[in-house]
Amino acid sequence: MELHYGINDLKDIDFMVFLPIVLPVMAVGAILVFLALFDLYRHRKTRENALIWMVVIIFVNTLGPILYFVIGRKESKRL
């Protein structure tokens, strides 16, 4: 009885089956990144750490825009 899979077993997997699951997740992530960058650009004068937020939004994929909308937008309400 073989308990592990080898690299040759990957050729038997039909990756197109996962496409309906992966595409909506990627689309939501891309929309979140776009909306967060657009909001950051619109309010760039009132944001103190705009460059840092841009790096977080781009490189922390789905979690970055969520953090921006929860934490980063509160900065402008102080002014």
Side-chain angles (χ1 to χ4, degrees), residues 9-16 18:
D9 294 329
L10 287 177
K11 67 180 177 184
D12 298 332
I13 297 175
D14 185 19
F15 289 105
M16 295 303 285
F18 300 110

Short mmCIF file of all heavy atoms in Angstrom, two decimals, residues 9-16 18:
data_model
loop_
_atom_site.label_atom_id
_atom_site.label_comp_id
_atom_site.label_asym_id
_atom_site.label_seq_id
_atom_site.Cartn_x
_atom_site.Cartn_y
_atom_site.Cartn_z
N ASP A 9 1.87 11.77 -10.31
CA ASP A 9 0.43 11.71 -10.07
C ASP A 9 -0.26 13.04 -10.38
O ASP A 9 -1.48 13.09 -10.51
CB ASP A 9 0.15 11.30 -8.63
CG ASP A 9 0.58 9.88 -8.34
OD1 ASP A 9 0.53 9.05 -9.29
OD2 ASP A 9 0.98 9.59 -7.21
N LEU A 10 0.50 14.12 -10.48
CA LEU A 10 -0.10 15.42 -10.79
C LEU A 10 -0.65 15.47 -12.21
O LEU A 10 -1.58 16.23 -12.49
CB LEU A 10 0.92 16.54 -10.60
CG LEU A 10 1.26 16.89 -9.15
CD1 LEU A 10 2.35 17.96 -9.14
CD2 LEU A 10 0.04 17.38 -8.41
N LYS A 11 -0.10 14.68 -13.10
CA LYS A 11 -0.59 14.70 -14.48
C LYS A 11 -1.98 14.11 -14.61
O LYS A 11 -2.68 14.35 -15.59
CB LYS A 11 0.39 13.98 -15.40
CG LYS A 11 0.49 12.50 -15.15
CD LYS A 11 1.46 11.83 -16.07
CE LYS A 11 1.53 10.36 -15.67
NZ LYS A 11 2.49 9.63 -16.42
N ASP A 12 -2.42 13.35 -13.61
CA ASP A 12 -3.74 12.73 -13.65
C ASP A 12 -4.83 13.64 -13.11
O ASP A 12 -6.01 13.33 -13.23
CB ASP A 12 -3.73 11.43 -12.84
CG ASP A 12 -2.77 10.41 -13.43
OD1 ASP A 12 -2.55 10.46 -14.67
OD2 ASP A 12 -2.24 9.58 -12.67
N ILE A 13 -4.46 14.77 -12.50
CA ILE A 13 -5.45 15.69 -11.91
C ILE A 13 -6.00 16.60 -12.99
O ILE A 13 -5.24 17.19 -13.77
CB ILE A 13 -4.81 16.51 -10.78
CG1 ILE A 13 -4.36 15.59 -9.65
CG2 ILE A 13 -5.79 17.53 -10.24
CD1 ILE A 13 -3.60 16.30 -8.55
N ASP A 14 -7.31 16.75 -13.02
CA ASP A 14 -7.96 17.67 -13.96
C ASP A 14 -8.11 19.03 -13.27
O ASP A 14 -9.00 19.22 -12.44
CB ASP A 14 -9.32 17.12 -14.37
CG ASP A 14 -9.98 17.98 -15.43
OD1 ASP A 14 -9.27 18.78 -16.08
OD2 ASP A 14 -11.21 17.86 -15.60
N PHE A 15 -7.21 19.96 -13.60
CA PHE A 15 -7.21 21.25 -12.94
C PHE A 15 -8.38 22.14 -13.39
O PHE A 15 -8.70 23.12 -12.73
CB PHE A 15 -5.88 21.97 -13.18
CG PHE A 15 -4.74 21.34 -12.44
CD1 PHE A 15 -3.80 20.57 -13.10
CD2 PHE A 15 -4.61 21.50 -11.07
CE1 PHE A 15 -2.76 19.98 -12.43
CE2 PHE A 15 -3.57 20.92 -10.37
CZ PHE A 15 -2.63 20.14 -11.05
N MET A 16 -9.01 21.82 -14.48
CA MET A 16 -10.15 22.60 -14.95
C MET A 16 -11.36 22.46 -14.03
O MET A 16 -12.26 23.28 -14.05
CB MET A 16 -10.53 22.20 -16.37
CG MET A 16 -9.45 22.54 -17.39
SD MET A 16 -9.01 24.27 -17.41
CE MET A 16 -10.41 24.94 -18.26
N PHE A 18 -11.23 22.80 -10.85
CA PHE A 18 -11.08 23.81 -9.81
C PHE A 18 -11.32 25.23 -10.32
O PHE A 18 -11.39 26.17 -9.53
CB PHE A 18 -9.68 23.73 -9.20
CG PHE A 18 -9.39 22.41 -8.56
CD1 PHE A 18 -8.48 21.54 -9.13
CD2 PHE A 18 -10.04 22.03 -7.40
CE1 PHE A 18 -8.21 20.32 -8.55
CE2 PHE A 18 -9.79 20.82 -6.81
CZ PHE A 18 -8.87 19.94 -7.39
#
